[in-house]
Amino acid sequence: MSTDPWGRVDDDGTVYVRTAEGERAVGSWQAGEPEEALAYFHRKYDELAGQVQLLEQRVRGTDLAPAQAEASIVKLREAVADAHAIGDLAALTARLDGLTELVAQRREEVKAAREQARAEARAVKERIVAEAERIADETTHWKSGGERLRQLVEEWKAADRIDRVTEAALWKRLSAARTAFAKRRKQYFAGLDEQREGVRATKERIVAEAEALADSTDWGQTAAVYRDLMQQWKSAGRASRDAEDDLWARFKAAQDQFFQARSAVFAERDASLAANAQVKEELLAEAEELLPITDVRTARAALRHILERWEAAGPVPREQRDRLEGGLRKVDEAVRKAEDAEWKRSNPEARARAQSTVDQLRTSIEQLEKRLAKAQAAGRAKDIKETEEALGARRSWLEEAERTLAEFS
């Protein structure tokens, strides 16, 4: 019988391995010396030890999954327990026990990491859902809001999965937020369409009224109506783009037709008024030549003759009227001051001159009143306004002349 610290070969060729529980037969050797048998079964042990060492390297040096590592340990543990080998099998078992503890620790670490990842993924998805719900409740920038919701869905897909129940609940909220946003956006545009339809109807009425006035020749009143219609247009809001463009083109065409016609009439009238203005320019120059007053009676007679021709000349363009009327008024005031001074020297003559001025102004006023009546009958707003302004000036002069005449009584 041959012996070894970890095993022996019996006389009948049975090979035993020594363990803490006692000897265990691992095989039979009949073909040679006992030492050869022991060497053979030692090699079997070395093979097992090599497998254990390789597994240790994989567990400690790689990211081998705990479940896969445990399956390998169980398989090797069974191989060691039933090994047909001679060697320190208990040491191999102890090494496998150490690996089991290491894998258990690794499993806890993986579990903790997984839980941390899930917690972070849950926080990400809760943040995504909260933002989606805020957009659904508050956002009115529909284009950017819809784009952001699409981005949030992509962020959701890119995030790690969490437990099924929480995942399903959060996804349901996200879907509900997207649906609520789409519904609110649809309602908004439906209301906007309704509002634009109301604006379109309002502007249709404005355009119809503008087109009805396009041929009017009541220049003043119609121009005021067009200004009011323009203000109504601005206050009405906007219709749909196509309707807005079409209605504005019609409104502008009607307005342009009226104002172009008015401009043509005014241009023709201004041309005739320009000739009147030239006459009054010459009369004003003639009146100013009377200054300074040296002969009151001659100056008054000359001015009276100028006034007659002035009235006969007719109206002038608005932009020249005040200057011309003001210039003539200054000459008249100078003549009256001279008359006042002369009156102090010759009361009868001053009274006669005052009476003559009053008579002249009254005649002028009567002529202007007749002209005003004709303008009113014809509905010529511009002539009416100009004649009323001339009447106002003459009546003012008449009041002064009458006060002067009254002083002789």
Side-chain angles (χ1 to χ4, degrees), residues 132-343:
E133 290 175 336
R134 180 186 59 78
I135 291 172
D137 291 340
E138 302 174 5
T139 294
T140 55
H141 297 287
W142 307 111
K143 184 176 181 180
S144 61
E147 180 60 29
R148 182 55 184 156
L149 283 177
R150 286 189 288 274
Q151 293 174 356
L152 290 175
V153 171
E154 294 304 316
E155 291 178 19
W156 176 285
K157 293 177 180 178
D160 293 335
R161 292 186 65 82
I162 54 180
D163 64 276
R164 182 175 299 177
V165 174
T166 305
E167 178 99 3
L170 288 173
W171 176 255
K172 184 176 180 180
R173 288 172 57 191
L174 178 60
S175 298
R178 294 170 67 195
T179 301
F181 175 81
K183 182 178 180 181
R184 196 160 61 88
R185 178 174 56 186
K186 182 178 180 181
Q187 290 173 342
Y188 170 81
F189 283 109
L192 190 61
D193 289 342
E194 182 177 350
Q195 178 184 349
R196 285 174 174 169
E197 182 60 25
V199 172
R200 186 197 63 76
T202 297
K203 290 191 172 181
E204 285 277 9
R205 174 189 58 77
I206 293 172
V207 169
E209 187 171 349
E211 290 174 338
L213 291 171
D215 295 324
S216 173
T217 56
D218 186 357
W219 310 118
Q221 181 63 30
T222 305
V225 173
Y226 270 115
R227 286 193 293 271
D228 180 62
L229 290 176
M230 176 60 78
Q231 188 59 46
Q232 292 180 42
W233 179 282
K234 293 178 179 179
S235 301
R238 291 189 62 83
S240 63
R241 178 175 297 178
D242 292 342
E244 185 78 13
D245 292 345
D246 177 65
L247 289 170
W248 172 250
R250 290 172 56 194
F251 180 78
K252 189 173 186 303
Q255 185 174 241
D256 289 348
Q257 178 181 334
F258 168 77
F259 282 104
Q260 287 169 5
R262 187 184 72 158
S263 295
V265 171
F266 282 8
E268 182 179 353
R269 179 182 299 170
D270 287 344
S272 64
L273 295 183
N276 297 346
Q278 181 60 37
V279 171
K280 288 191 175 182
E281 289 280 6
E282 296 172 358
L283 290 173
L284 177 59
E286 184 180 341
E288 288 174 341
E289 289 178 356
L290 299 175
L291 303 177
I293 305 299
T294 56
D295 184 339
V296 175
R297 183 175 299 178
T298 302
R300 171 54 66 189
L303 182 59
R304 184 180 303 112
H305 183 54
I306 291 171
L307 282 171
E308 291 173 353
R309 288 179 288 158
W310 184 281
E311 295 299 330
V316 299
R318 181 187 300 271
E319 62 272 13
Q320 295 176 272
R321 185 174 61 246
D322 291 343
R323 179 181 60 82
L324 292 170
E325 294 279 355
L328 186 62
R329 189 179 303 114
K330 289 180 181 178
V331 175
D332 180 69
E333 288 173 355
V335 172
R336 285 195 296 106
K337 287 180 180 179
E339 287 175 334
D340 289 343
E342 181 70 16
W343 174 79

